[in-house]
Amino acid sequence: MPSPRSWKPKISGRGFQEDYDVVKNPFYDYIDEVTEVVAKTRNSQEKCLVILKQLSPNDNTDSSLFQALVSQLMDCGPLGRSAISFLEESFGKCWSSEPQPICITHLQRLKELVMDIKIYPGHLGDYADGPTPSLERGMVAHAKESGYASTKGLMELKQQVCLTYKQLFGLNISHNNVWVSPGESFAMWLGLQSMIKPGQKVGYLRPLYPKNLDWIKDAGGIAAPFDIGYPAKFDKMSLRVYFESEQPAVMIWTDPHNPTGFCLSDEDQRDLLSLSAEFGVRILVDAAYEFVRYGNRDEYGQIPSMLRYADYCDSKLAGQIVHAMTLGKGWRGNGYRIAVIVGEEGLIQNISSKSGSIIGSVATPMQYAAVEALKCLDDTFCNTELLRQKRDIIAKKLQNTHLEFELPIATFYYFFCVSKVLTFTHMETSDEFCKVCMTETGIAMIPGSFYGFNTGVRLSFAALTMEDINNSMKKLRKWLDRLMDDWPTTKSKSTALF
C-alpha cells in the first residue's frame, strides 16, 4: 500500500485551483504594514541588546559580534543609523574586521542609542496599559466558564446593560432591546444590514471612519457623505439641506467622532433627532468612545449621550435610534471583542437571528467579564482621566509648531492638520508626511487620506505610555523644527521604513 504522500488521485478537467479576485483594502493594508514594521524593529532592537550584553568593557571584542550588531541595526532601517554612525566614528573602519576593545563610556553610549530605536505605535486605536481592574478581574474569575450562551447574549449581561444604561442615560429598556456582539464593528456591520434594503442611501460623516464605507457596501447601500469638516462642527441648516437632497434611509453618526474627537452638544443632539424624525431618517450611532469623553456629566449626572433621547417604548420613535457601544475603549478591552447594540425589539430579533447563522454567540467567559466591568463605572472615569493627562501633555509639547489641531473633547486621537508643513516643505501628501515622520522620528500615524481629509494625520495617544509621549513629542518637535529651518533649500530625503 502506498504511503499517503506518494499516492495521488487521478485528475480530470482543469483541476481545483480557481482564479480569485483579491480583495484589497488600503486602510487595513497600511495598518498591517506598519504593525509588521513595528514588530520587526522591536525584534531587531532586542537582538541588539542581547549582543551588547556579550561585549565586555576594555576587552578585545570579536569582530563577528560587531558585524552581527550592525546587521541587526541595519534591519532597524534609518532608525538604526545613529548607532552605526557612532560605531564608525568611535572605531574607524577596522571595527568590522579586527578585534577591538570598547571602553565603558562607548558601550554605555551604544546601549543608549540602541534603546532609542523605537517605533511609537500611534497608528493603532489600542492601549499601552492593560485592561481596567474590573475587566481583568472578571476575565480571571470566569476563565473556566464554558457552554454556549444564547445568540442574543448572556441574560446576566443584558440585564446589567439595562441597569447601567438606566443609571447613565436615564434609559428604560428591557433585555429584549439588547444584543451582545463580538466587537462593535460587527455590531455596526450586521446592524446596518438589518436596517436597510439594497439600493437605499446611507449617510455618514466626513472625515469618516474608513469602515463606514465597508459596512455600507456590504449592506448593498449607496454611500452619501455629510461633511462636518475640520475643525469639525455641526450645522443644522446644512443637515436639513442634506436630508432634503440625499434622502438617506439611515444615517451612520459617529459620536464621539473618530478621528476628530468632536462631540455633539446637547442642542446639536436635539436638532439632529428633530430633523431625523421630520425626514424619517433612522440614526445608527457608532458610540465606540461613549465612555471616553473629557467633558462633565449633564445636570442629571448622566453622560451626554444621544441615548438620553431614545424612547423604545413609543411605537413611533422606537426605531429612530440604534446604538452600538464597545467595552474595548472605556474599559481598555481592545481585542476582547465584546460590544452591545441597543434598538427596538423587532430589529434586535432580526439581528440576533442573522448572527446565529454566522457566529453563534460571544465567548461565555468574556460576557461574564463584561458584567463585572459594567458594574464598575469608576474604572472608565479613571481611564478617561489618564487619557486626559496624555492629551494635555501632547497639546503643551506641540504648542507653536506648524501642526494645526483642535483639543479633542473625546476619544484618544489627535487629528493634526499638516497643510502648513506640506506647503513649506517638499512633501506633497499626508501619506508622504506619515512615512517620512515614521522614518525620522519613529512615530507611526495614519494619513488623513483614509478619512477623506487629505491634509490630516491621526495620532492615537492611548497606545503610548507617558514616557513614550514625552520622548516621541520631543522627537516630533525637533524634526518639525528642522524641516522648517531647512526649507526651501533642502528636500527632505529619507529611506522609507516600508
Side-chain angles (χ1 to χ4, degrees):
M1 178 181 244
S3 69
R5 287 296 175 191
S6 65
W7 179 86
K8 292 184 179 180
K10 292 181 180 180
I11 304 293
S12 62
R14 64 183 298 275
F16 302 101
Q17 187 168 324
E18 299 287 345
D19 294 325
Y20 295 99
D21 291 328
V22 178
V23 178
K24 280 191 166 290
N25 187 310
F27 176 69
Y28 303 123
D29 289 346
Y30 180 89
I31 294 290
D32 290 343
E33 203 171 3
V34 175
T35 302
E36 287 174 7
V37 172
V38 173
K40 180 182 177 182
T41 304
R42 183 182 295 121
N43 183 53
S44 295
Q45 184 200 45
E46 289 173 354
K47 289 181 179 178
C48 286
L49 293 173
V50 170
I51 294 170
L52 287 176
K53 287 182 179 179
Q54 300 177 52
L55 302 181
S56 301
N58 302 319
D59 289 342
N60 281 348
T61 300
D62 193 300
S63 59
S64 62
L65 286 177
F66 282 119
Q67 292 169 5
L69 179 62
V70 171
S71 176
Q72 294 301 326
L73 290 171
M74 292 178 69
D75 283 345
C76 295
L79 297 175
R81 63 191 173 200
S82 294
I84 295 175
S85 297
F86 177 75
L87 274 173
E88 293 175 343
E89 292 169 4
S90 301
F91 304 105
K93 294 183 178 180
C94 59
W95 61 268
S96 61
S97 58
E98 300 175 8
Q100 294 288 319
I102 183 169
C103 70
I104 191 168
T105 304
H106 283 172
L107 182 58
Q108 184 60 40
R109 178 57 182 156
L110 197 53
K111 287 181 179 178
E112 291 173 358
L113 291 171
V114 169
M115 289 298 295
D116 198 43
I117 297 172
K118 183 170 184 177
I119 296 181
Y120 303 92
H123 65 300
L124 291 175
D126 227 336
Y127 277 101
D129 312 287
T132 59
S134 60
L135 187 58
E136 185 174 12
R137 284 196 306 271
M139 282 296 294
V140 172
H142 298 282
K144 294 184 178 180
E145 295 285 354
S146 62
Y148 294 114
S150 164
T151 57
K152 297 179 181 180
L154 192 71
M155 181 57 71
E156 291 93 325
L157 175 55
K158 296 200 296 178
Q159 290 174 338
Q160 185 59 50
V161 168
C162 295
L163 292 172
T164 301
Y165 280 28
K166 171 67 174 177
Q167 176 184 349
L168 290 178
F169 311 125
L171 181 67
N172 291 307
I173 54 174
S174 79
H175 62 86
N176 291 322
N177 296 114
V178 182
W179 176 66
V180 181
S181 167
E184 181 161 351
S185 291
F186 187 76
M188 293 292 293
W189 178 81
L190 192 54
L192 185 61
Q193 293 202 18
S194 303
M195 294 173 70
I196 70 165
K197 297 176 181 179
Q200 289 185 314
K201 283 189 176 180
V202 180
Y204 66 94
L205 304 182
R206 191 166 57 189
L208 72 151
Y209 179 48
K211 288 185 180 180
N212 290 169
L213 297 180
D214 295 333
W215 300 332
I216 295 170
K217 179 182 177 182
D218 290 347
I222 300 172
F226 176 66
D227 288 302
I228 59 173
Y230 186 74
K233 64 179 180 180
F234 175 86
D235 183 76
K236 182 179 179 180
M237 288 306 301
S238 296
L239 186 62
R240 173 177 286 279
V241 171
Y242 170 83
F243 279 166
E244 288 176 343
S245 61
E246 297 293 346
Q247 298 181 350
V250 173
M251 185 80 189
I252 297 175
W253 202 280
T254 309
D255 187 56
H257 186 244
N258 173 12
T260 66
F262 169 73
C263 291
L264 291 175
S265 69
D266 200 57
E267 182 180 357
D268 292 341
Q269 289 179 356
R270 290 196 296 269
D271 287 342
L272 168 62
L273 295 177
S274 294
L275 288 172
S276 161
E278 181 180 341
F279 288 93
V281 180
R282 303 173 80 182
I283 305 297
L284 176 56
V285 185
D286 180 0
Y289 302 90
E290 192 77 273
F291 290 91
V292 188
R293 296 174 180 265
Y294 303 113
N296 297 322
R297 297 192 186 191
D298 68 11
E299 59 184 308
Y300 303 104
Q302 298 171 356
I303 288 178
S305 165
M306 220 179 298
L307 271 181
R308 295 174 303 161
Y309 298 108
D311 191 340
Y312 298 110
C313 298
D314 187 320
S315 59
K316 292 184 178 180
L317 293 175
Q320 183 183 25
I321 299 176
V322 180
H323 182 279
M325 189 277 295
T326 174
L327 273 73
K329 310 304 181 185
W331 282 268
R332 301 201 299 263
N334 288 41
Y336 282 47
R337 315 308 302 169
I338 187 160
V340 294
I341 191 165
V342 171
E344 52 97 6
E345 289 189 21
L347 175 68
I348 295 301
Q349 181 59 51
N350 189 7
I351 292 173
S352 177
S353 297
K354 289 182 177 180
S355 73
S357 62
I358 302 173
I359 55 131
S361 59
V362 178
T364 302
M366 191 62 252
Q367 295 196 59
Y368 277 113
V371 174
E372 300 302 321
L374 285 169
K375 290 178 180 178
C376 191
L377 296 175
D378 285 347
D379 273 5
T380 66
F381 303 138
C382 292
N383 180 55
T384 301
E385 185 55 36
L386 175 62
L387 291 171
R388 186 201 302 272
Q389 293 173 26
K390 294 181 178 182
R391 178 200 68 170
D392 293 348
I393 290 173
I394 292 173
K396 184 177 181 179
K397 288 188 175 295
L398 293 183
Q399 283 180 344
N400 303 318
T401 65
H402 289 275
L403 294 180
E404 300 173 274
F405 59 90
E406 292 282 306
L407 192 71
I409 57 177
T411 77
F412 41 66
Y413 304 117
Y414 266 100
F415 198 59
F416 300 120
C417 179
V418 297
S419 57
K420 285 187 178 180
V421 179
L422 299 181
T423 299
F424 292 108
T425 68
H426 294 271
M427 289 181 286
E428 297 180 353
T429 64
S430 60
D431 300 63
E432 187 177 359
F433 176 93
C434 286
K435 288 191 175 184
V436 176
C437 178
M438 183 169 161
T439 298
E440 296 294 326
T441 69
I443 303 171
M445 292 187 269
I446 297 183
S449 56
F450 291 124
Y451 301 97
F453 193 85
N454 292 330
T455 58
V457 297
R458 193 196 77 170
L459 170 74
S460 167
F461 51 88
L464 308 178
T465 65
M466 287 293 191
E467 181 181 3
D468 286 342
I469 288 174
N470 284 307
N471 293 337
S472 63
M473 292 304 106
K474 181 180 178 180
K475 291 180 180 181
L476 179 58
R477 187 177 189 107
K478 184 177 180 180
W479 174 63
L480 289 170
D481 289 344
R482 188 173 71 248
L483 271 181
M484 306 312 288
D485 288 342
D486 290 346
W487 183 86
T489 58
T490 305
K491 184 172 181 176
S492 178
K493 295 181 180 179
S494 296
T495 305
L497 281 169
F498 63 100

